Amino acid sequence: MVIRKKQAAKSRAVAAFTLVEVTMAIGILVLVMAGMIYGYVQTNAQAEWSSMSLSVQALTVQSVEQARAAKWDVYSTPTPGTTNEFAVGTNTTVFTSAVLIPSSGTTMNVTNVLQITTVTTIPALRQIRSDCAWTFPNTGATFTNTVITYRGGS
Amino acid sequence: MKLLSDNLSPKALLHPMRVRAFTLVELMVTMAIFMLLVLAMVGVQVFGFKINSLTTSKLKTTAYSLKALNQIQTQVRGASSVVVGNGGSLASFTSTGTTGTALLITIPTGGNNLLYLSTNTGVLYEIFSANNQQITVASNLTNQVVFQTVDYRGTNISSTGLENFAIRMTLQFFQTNFQVPTNAYEYFTFQTEMTPRTQD
């Protein structure tokens, strides 16, 4: 840069960047880059959470579908509605190594609680509720996926 | 940086280039700073590419799983019959009733849909008998057994002559994220069950 000496002597601030300006510019650049990196990492973490949540959701649905597959004969004798394979109550199951943690390839256990409750006797109607609790490894936070459905007797 | 004076010496006037240019030290310092900035920017870009690759593979497997779940679950729930077996076409399908790479779904309105895993390519396909069209449901699969017939406890059973059963579907995904500087892989397991509602 070519500057006349007179002009430079009059105003040094115009002539060149001061150390404070340069430091601030670099500081802003570092902040922007840190923000970009954090954005990338956060996007990846969110994708990881979504994939794990979907995997757990599938297990939650699996439990509900098993309950739906169970026999429930409301016309059984001597007491109608007692012949069934999945009685009213709470069943806790641990799906061992059911979910793969992305990138690492390690597995995670998921605890499922299946609750079957009677809604009405006539007509025969039950509620099936499935809760799967799991921990997100990146943050250590615990989440619960829930599926609730109703089933009529056959 | 050299500053020009209004009253330049005769020597300076004779050799103007000597006073107008940047010095070697200035240039080297500027280039060093510029190189550092470029390296930092390139580093961020490379990091971005890696994270992008990681995220893409996760989203891809999630999308495949969702597609498989939505598509197959609805069909199985509404099917008049569902049979587990093996085979890569409607004509070559053979029923096992217990475990297999294929699932034959009979539609109440008529026709069959066949879901089968090509173990060579790791792709789960679906063939519709109505128009003989074949579509890809999921890819990058590594498992050999996709479908199982299970009871209400999740125990593997035979569907032959059985009234109450569920179909378990397991999809194991494996993808390469990036290979530089070291290989990075993505793993994902998706397992669910579905019950034909005609059993009720």
Side-chain angles (χ1 to χ4, degrees):
Chain A
M1 189 174 11
V2 178
I3 302 164
R4 296 283 167 194
K5 220 174 197 177
K6 259 184 180 176
Q7 190 189 347
K10 278 179 185 172
S11 172
R12 278 191 163 275
V14 178
F17 293 110
T18 63
L19 181 64
V20 176
E21 286 171 337
V22 173
T23 311
M24 280 188 73
I26 291 171
I28 290 167
L29 182 70
V30 167
L31 280 175
V32 168
M33 285 171 76
M36 280 169 67
I37 291 170
Y38 182 74
Y40 279 127
V41 172
Q42 203 57 25
T43 307
N44 185 53
Q46 197 61 43
E48 194 167 319
W49 185 90
S50 297
S51 64
M52 290 183 75
S53 180
L54 177 68
S55 189
V56 175
Q57 184 68 17
L59 289 171
T60 317
V61 171
Q62 174 175 322
S63 191
V64 168
E65 292 292 312
Q66 278 182 6
R68 283 212 60 125
K71 190 178 176 184
W72 179 27
D73 185 3
V74 293
Y75 298 110
S76 60
T77 53
T79 312
T82 54
T83 303
N84 57 74
E85 293 170 329
F86 238 137
V88 170
T90 303
N91 302 278
T92 303
T93 314
V94 177
F95 293 113
T96 313
S97 305
V99 176
L100 272 174
I101 299 168
S103 302
S104 68
T106 52
T107 56
M108 186 178 74
N109 294 347
V110 175
T111 307
N112 175 253
V113 178
L114 182 74
Q115 289 176 293
I116 301 174
T117 49
T118 303
V119 179
T120 55
T121 312
I122 302 170
L125 185 68
R126 283 178 178 177
Q127 185 196 66
I128 303 167
R129 179 188 170 128
S130 174
D131 296 280
C132 270
W134 60 286
T135 307
F136 187 50
N138 288 18
T139 59
T142 304
F143 298 91
T144 304
N145 290 35
T146 303
V147 172
I148 300 174
T149 189
Y150 292 92
R151 183 192 181 185
S154 30
Chain B
M1 180 170 52
K2 302 291 182 188
L3 298 177
L4 288 180
S5 168
D6 283 344
N7 303 315
L8 291 172
S9 64
K11 202 176 180 182
L13 286 168
L14 281 172
H15 305 283
M17 291 300 284
R18 285 187 185 169
V19 287
R20 283 183 185 172
F22 290 106
T23 63
L24 182 64
V25 177
E26 284 172 340
L27 271 174
M28 284 180 74
V29 169
T30 310
M31 281 176 69
I33 294 168
F34 184 70
M35 284 290 287
L36 283 173
L37 280 173
V38 168
L39 279 174
M41 291 305 288
V42 168
V44 170
Q45 287 297 321
V46 170
F47 179 75
F49 283 136
K50 280 185 179 179
I51 294 287
N52 185 51
S53 174
L54 284 167
T55 311
T56 304
S57 56
K58 285 185 186 74
L59 292 176
K60 209 185 267 184
T61 49
T62 306
Y64 278 139
S65 304
L66 266 176
K67 187 181 175 187
L69 180 68
N70 290 338
Q71 198 165 320
I72 301 168
Q73 196 176 54
T74 311
Q75 289 181 37
V76 169
R77 282 177 176 177
S80 55
S81 82
V82 183
V83 183
V84 175
N86 293 309
S89 68
L90 284 160
S92 65
F93 176 80
T94 48
S95 167
T96 61
T98 51
T99 61
T101 57
L103 186 72
L104 186 70
I105 302 166
T106 306
I107 307 162
T109 52
N112 297 305
N113 294 346
L114 179 74
L115 284 147
Y116 77 94
L117 172 75
S118 170
T119 48
N120 295 330
T121 57
V123 179
L124 182 68
Y125 295 105
E126 180 164 23
I127 305 173
F128 302 92
S129 66
N131 53 11
N132 221 20
Q133 190 191 352
Q134 178 173 290
I135 62 161
T136 301
V137 178
S139 62
N140 299 105
L141 296 169
T142 55
N143 48 322
Q144 299 295 310
V145 174
V146 179
F147 301 105
Q148 284 175 276
T149 311
V150 294
D151 66 2
Y152 71 100
R153 290 184 194 278
T155 312
N156 196 20
I157 52 165
S158 171
S159 63
T160 312
L162 201 72
E163 285 182 10
N164 296 74
F165 65 93
I167 301 294
R168 176 179 291 171
M169 177 177 73
T170 310
L171 302 176
Q172 288 174 339
F173 295 91
F174 179 79
Q175 289 188 63
T176 306
N177 281 327
F178 51 83
Q179 294 177 307
V180 179
T182 52
N183 291 351
Y185 304 104
E186 194 66 72
Y187 310 88
F188 188 72
T189 298
F190 182 83
Q191 182 181 293
T192 193
E193 286 177 20
M194 44 215 121
T195 307
R197 296 297 188 253
T198 47
Q199 294 179 131
D200 284 346

